[in-house]
Amino acid sequence: LIRGIGDDAAVLRLPRGHEILVTTDFSLEDIHFRRHWAAATSIGHRTLLRGLSDIAAMGGIPLAAFLSLAVPRNLPQPWIDGFLTGLVRLATRFGVSLAGGDTSQSPEKVLADIVVVGSVPRGRAVLRSGARVGDRIYVTGQLGAAAARLARLYSARQTRIGRPRAGGLPLPRVAIGQFLRHKRIARSMIDLSDGLSTDLSHICEESKVGAEISEQSIPRARLDHTRVGMKFALHGGDDYELLFTADPRTRVPPTIGGTSITQIGEIKRARKLILCDAEGRRVELQPEGWEHFG
Amino acid sequence: LIRGIGDDAAVLRLPRGHEILVTTDFSLEDIHFRRHWAAATSIGHRTLLRGLSDIAAMGGIPLAAFLSLAVPRNLPQPWIDGFLTGLVRLATRFGVSLAGGDTSQSPEKVLADIVVVGSVPRGRAVLRSGARVGDRIYVTGQLGAAAARLARLYSARQTRIGRPRAGGLPLPRVAIGQFLRHKRIARSMIDLSDGLSTDLSHICEESKVGAEISEQSIPRARLDHTRVGMKFALHGGDDYELLFTADPRTRVPPTIGGTSITQIGEIKRARKLILCDAEGRRVELQPEGWEHFG
């Protein structure tokens, strides 16, 4: 970063032989989050998490973040402080500068838009379009915890949750994404922000292929020592794990940096998603992604 | 642009030996614009204009734009079409790809955030901090038209204005910015988005200097064959002209590409803004920038 906040534009220098990655993500109150359902630090964390996770899914190195933040006039200052604390703490942890952005008053609700700029060696970004028939499909970590937690909040009609433990907030899989790109393991990759069924369908669309996954192989997260329901693992958003495909001849390690890597299925020629259930029945899987609050 | 919309992040290649420029700007309904005071095409145009103008003020070359757009559920589709038409037309005119962004439903109002990524030869970005004592201060074009037009709308309490003539929409001074950088004329530069008094104060703050400008030399725009009031030229936002400073020994052409370049004052050591009025009186000028609707 050559020049950050305080000029018309930020100036960044790119590592030699690298290309630029750019991603932008909204975090809008009552669409992407509810202000009274999470601590401000957690909302700030998740705002940046979404952008870092996109860079991770390209196999990229995050360099700088830009935050556009509009808040209503009557928003308490401690909320803003908490939001920024959560965001900056995550940025620092991943060596990312907060290099600029925009601030504004908003008519009523908190509106954030995060931009993350990253880099990747020339021609080496891992795209969604690289999956080939026969590729094995893998996911990192466990799925469904975020959606299961959200469902619990909905059903309890809770109006306030406590400060989350720092350990409870998901982290972007930046190091794993870079490892999978560097070792030429992943041929296609996406982050699980909208839910497995939806995000796998994006890989299939962009790669012009289909996929078959096995229900039994899907690594379901535990919440209070119980495995979350299958629907949360299949369709729940906000997990920020990586989904990637690899040539069947490629050796894929069972863990990377302590995180489990699980094979969940295979890329097929027929352009649909098939779910093989516990009884061996094969049913078509409809993408039922993350439903926003709206 | 290597990879645009349809992946986790866009991939861009930079010209050899260049650095990256990144700027982000909100355009929020009832803060930055009113939906019933301008045609949708004009609002789309201005949304991108703000970003391109920031790149121009660095002497940069715009490469790609990213639009995050949230709209309420009941917004008529023709409004969105008009907004995108105005934005894409301006992008095309300046050779900029719309390379990505985010879309969302918004709770109530139109929320846009524009990111423009550009490039500049390494170490050659024209910063706000480059002004030196003795530098002459220049502006491009004429000032105050946008604010005078807005004041007219306010006073008339108009609820709807007609489709603006394309010629009536300001264009970012991209070519002039590049010329001033390439010919090493500008030592510091900023775009006039917040108004002359505010933007000149930004140059002074970043360069740790003061400035004296002469009222009589300020090029005031004409609206319906009448020069706009001095307050609009001094404090009115949204003009998107460039303000720059140059070493007194540097020859600055009177026009660049048909646009007039006017010397309006000089950089001083004393860290305040002084306005020399028509009677030769010197008064301190307070920055009274662009007031948002809120």
Side-chain angles (χ1 to χ4, degrees):
Chain A
L1 179 66
I2 308 300
R3 187 80 179 93
I5 293 164
D7 222 300
D8 296 284
V11 185
L12 289 105
R13 197 162 288 168
L14 209 60
R16 188 182 294 270
H18 278 227
E19 289 170 338
I20 313 165
L21 301 173
V22 184
T23 176
T24 80
D25 288 283
F26 267 138
S27 288
L28 305 177
E29 184 177 350
D30 290 350
I31 300 286
H32 300 92
F33 65 88
R34 289 204 194 275
R35 210 193 312 161
H36 298 292
W37 281 15
T41 48
S42 158
I43 295 168
H45 176 101
R46 283 176 181 277
T47 294
L48 178 59
L49 170 62
R50 301 182 67 199
L52 291 178
S53 182
D54 283 329
I55 298 295
M58 306 296 283
I61 303 155
L63 300 176
F66 300 81
L67 172 69
S68 294
L69 179 66
V71 298
R73 200 189 284 262
N74 62 357
L75 189 74
Q77 186 63 39
W79 194 92
I80 301 174
D81 295 343
F83 177 91
L84 291 175
T85 298
L87 192 146
V88 169
R89 198 185 283 154
L90 182 63
T92 305
R93 183 162 177 166
F94 284 84
V96 168
S97 322
L98 189 57
D102 196 8
T103 54
S104 175
Q105 196 188 305
S106 84
E108 194 185 350
K109 307 199 174 182
V110 176
L111 318 168
D113 191 33
I114 193 84
V115 176
V116 180
V117 175
S119 84
V120 68
R122 193 168 170 140
R124 297 293 310 282
V126 186
L127 305 181
R128 295 179 179 179
S129 53
R132 298 291 171 263
V133 174
D135 272 10
R136 306 296 187 242
I137 305 167
Y138 298 85
V139 293
T140 63
Q142 274 79 41
L143 310 186
R149 242 185 235 112
L150 194 63
R152 192 183 286 183
L153 284 172
Y154 261 113
S155 66
R157 296 180 176 281
Q158 229 169 316
T159 55
R160 180 85 185 104
I161 62 162
R163 196 183 191 77
R165 291 158 301 134
L169 291 171
L171 292 174
R173 297 299 195 184
V174 172
I176 296 179
Q178 287 176 30
F179 180 89
L180 293 169
R181 181 257 302 159
H182 183 70
K183 299 288 184 189
R184 298 182 189 250
I185 293 172
R187 285 219 274 213
S188 71
M189 188 149 60
I190 191 169
D191 70 315
L192 293 176
S193 53
D194 291 341
L196 174 59
S197 59
T198 297
D199 290 319
L200 179 56
S201 79
H202 292 325
I203 287 273
C204 289
E205 277 158 32
E206 294 294 326
S207 300
K208 302 186 170 60
V209 293
E212 184 174 316
I213 59 174
S214 147
E215 206 173 80
Q216 283 191 295
S217 63
I218 293 170
R220 282 184 283 158
R222 287 177 182 275
L223 204 58
D224 298 337
H225 313 289
T226 311
R227 287 217 180 279
V228 301
M230 183 58 69
K231 69 173 179 181
F232 298 123
L234 277 175
H235 307 297
D238 255 356
D239 282 325
Y240 302 103
E241 296 294 347
L242 296 176
L243 179 150
F244 64 95
T245 74
D247 187 308
R249 293 161 299 184
T250 301
R251 194 193 150 265
V252 178
T255 65
I256 298 174
T259 300
S260 62
I261 309 292
T262 311
Q263 185 183 324
I264 63 165
E266 190 178 322
I267 295 294
K268 300 287 189 184
R269 191 171 310 276
R271 296 182 64 175
K272 50 190 173 183
L273 296 188
I274 300 292
L275 179 70
C276 195
D277 73 12
E279 284 77 45
R281 280 178 306 229
R282 300 162 79 243
V283 292
E284 191 162 348
L285 179 66
Q286 298 303 328
E288 290 174 33
W290 173 239
E291 289 289 318
H292 289 157
F293 289 112
Chain B
L1 179 68
I2 308 299
R3 187 79 179 94
I5 294 164
D7 222 301
D8 296 284
V11 186
L12 289 103
R13 199 162 288 168
L14 209 60
R16 187 182 295 271
H18 278 228
E19 290 170 337
I20 313 166
L21 301 173
V22 183
T23 174
T24 80
D25 289 284
F26 266 138
S27 288
L28 305 178
E29 183 177 349
D30 291 349
I31 301 285
H32 301 91
F33 66 88
R34 290 205 194 274
R35 212 196 308 164
H36 297 291
W37 281 14
T41 48
S42 159
I43 295 168
H45 176 102
R46 283 175 182 278
T47 294
L48 178 59
L49 170 61
R50 301 182 67 200
L52 291 178
S53 182
D54 284 328
I55 299 295
M58 306 295 283
I61 302 156
L63 299 176
F66 300 81
L67 172 69
S68 294
L69 180 67
V71 299
R73 201 189 282 263
N74 63 357
L75 189 75
Q77 186 61 39
W79 193 93
I80 301 174
D81 296 344
F83 177 91
L84 290 175
T85 298
L87 191 146
V88 169
R89 199 185 281 154
L90 182 64
T92 306
R93 184 162 177 167
F94 284 83
V96 168
S97 322
L98 188 59
D102 197 6
T103 55
S104 175
Q105 196 188 305
S106 84
E108 196 185 347
K109 307 198 175 182
V110 177
L111 320 168
D113 191 32
I114 194 84
V115 176
V116 181
V117 175
S119 85
V120 69
R122 192 168 170 140
R124 297 293 310 281
V126 185
L127 305 180
R128 296 179 179 179
S129 53
R132 298 290 170 263
V133 175
D135 273 11
R136 306 297 186 241
I137 305 167
Y138 297 85
V139 293
T140 63
Q142 275 80 41
L143 309 186
R149 241 185 235 114
L150 193 63
R152 193 184 285 183
L153 284 172
Y154 261 111
S155 66
R157 297 181 175 280
Q158 229 170 314
T159 54
R160 180 87 186 101
I161 62 161
R163 195 183 193 76
R165 293 158 302 130
L169 290 171
L171 293 174
R173 297 299 194 184
V174 172
I176 296 179
Q178 286 175 31
F179 180 90
L180 293 169
R181 182 255 305 157
H182 183 70
K183 298 290 183 188
R184 298 180 188 253
I185 293 171
R187 283 218 274 212
S188 71
M189 188 151 59
I190 192 170
D191 71 316
L192 293 176
S193 53
D194 292 340
L196 174 58
S197 59
T198 297
D199 291 319
L200 178 55
S201 78
H202 292 323
I203 287 273
C204 289
E205 277 158 32
E206 294 294 326
S207 299
K208 301 187 170 58
V209 293
E212 183 173 317
I213 58 175
S214 146
E215 205 172 80
Q216 283 191 295
S217 63
I218 293 171
R220 281 183 284 156
R222 288 176 181 275
L223 204 59
D224 299 338
H225 313 291
T226 310
R227 288 214 181 278
V228 301
M230 183 57 70
K231 69 172 179 181
F232 298 122
L234 276 175
H235 307 296
D238 253 356
D239 282 326
Y240 302 104
E241 297 293 347
L242 297 176
L243 179 150
F244 64 96
T245 75
D247 187 306
R249 294 161 296 182
T250 301
R251 195 193 149 265
V252 178
T255 66
I256 298 174
T259 299
S260 62
I261 308 294
T262 310
Q263 186 184 323
I264 62 165
E266 191 177 323
I267 295 294
K268 300 286 188 188
R269 190 171 312 273
R271 294 181 67 172
K272 49 191 173 183
L273 296 187
I274 300 291
L275 180 69
C276 195
D277 74 11
E279 284 78 45
R281 282 178 305 231
R282 299 163 80 243
V283 292
E284 191 163 347
L285 179 66
Q286 299 303 327
E288 291 175 30
W290 173 238
E291 289 287 319
H292 289 158
F293 288 112

